[in-house]
Amino acid sequence: GQNIDQPTEMTATEGAIVQINCTYQTSGFNGLFWYQQHAGEAPTFLSYNVLDGLEEKGRFSSFLSRSKGYSYLLLKELQMKDSASYLCAVSPWMDSSYKLIFGSGTRLLVRP
Amino acid sequence: DSGVTQTPKHLITATGQRVTLRCSPRSGDLSVYWYQQSLDQGLQFLIQYYNGEERAKGNILERFSAQQFPDLHSELNLSSLELGDSALYFCASSARDSTDTQYFGPGTRLTVL
């Protein structure tokens, strides 16, 4: 089966750093994606990891450990506009498709 | 703006009715994916088309169908609507049938009364 777990909610302070964890168990693995989604809006792409290690992109970094089925998204210098849901998604390569299997998302609230 | 367009933005209809949601992928993208997002569930994969052909089905009900046309736009048809079909429906497109990043459209919010 496919299972992706992430915390439901997190709270952090403006200017701080927050780490959002994601664990997954999938029958196949072709990469892990992080998306940001503001309420009622489209998910927007943040990062993609397929090899172990850290990918850095500005204030956002994403880490992957395939052997542990674990990833995290690190957000630095938090801004109020970072308040959103963060979705972890795995491309398991199932049924000849690169469809994404999403976790339920982590709702991040950034406080002043 | 991802470059993926979806119409309509909002749709309100009654139980038992049929609706059609439309998606135009980013220029040059051949793959289209449809996802459903309801309040109590995360994003759920429904169906994928690649260059006009159905590639994979997910948790798509038999009352739902889709197609991709020669100009690569896609339509999702929902029939015999039930209250539980109320959700946000997103389409996403990617360049190829691969792990290319999927870019999401703004979604269609369907409300079934």
Side-chain angles (χ1 to χ4, degrees), chain A residues 3-6 20-26 28-35 45-51 53 55 61-66 68-73 87-92 100-103, chain B residues 99 101:
Chain A
N3 194 45
I4 300 176
D5 286 317
Q6 12 176 173
I20 302 174
N21 296 324
C22 171
T23 58
Y24 64 90
Q25 288 179 305
T26 56
F29 184 81
N30 271 294
L32 186 144
F33 293 81
W34 284 96
Y35 284 83
F45 169 74
L46 291 177
S47 69
Y48 170 64
N49 295 71
V50 65
L51 300 175
E55 295 279 343
S61 303
S62 57
F63 172 83
L64 175 67
S65 168
R66 289 178 299 173
K68 295 182 179 176
Y70 168 69
S71 174
Y72 68 72
L73 180 70
L87 311 178
C88 173
V90 172
S91 177
L100 295 177
I101 307 298
F102 282 86
Chain B
T99 51
T101 298

Side-chain angles (χ1 to χ4, degrees), chain B residues 24-41:
Chain B
S24 292
R26 295 186 320 154
S27 177
D29 283 1
L30 299 178
S31 261
V32 169
Y33 300 79
W34 285 97
Y35 293 88
Q36 179 192 55
Q37 187 175 41
S38 50
L39 279 177
D40 57 347
Q41 290 186 332

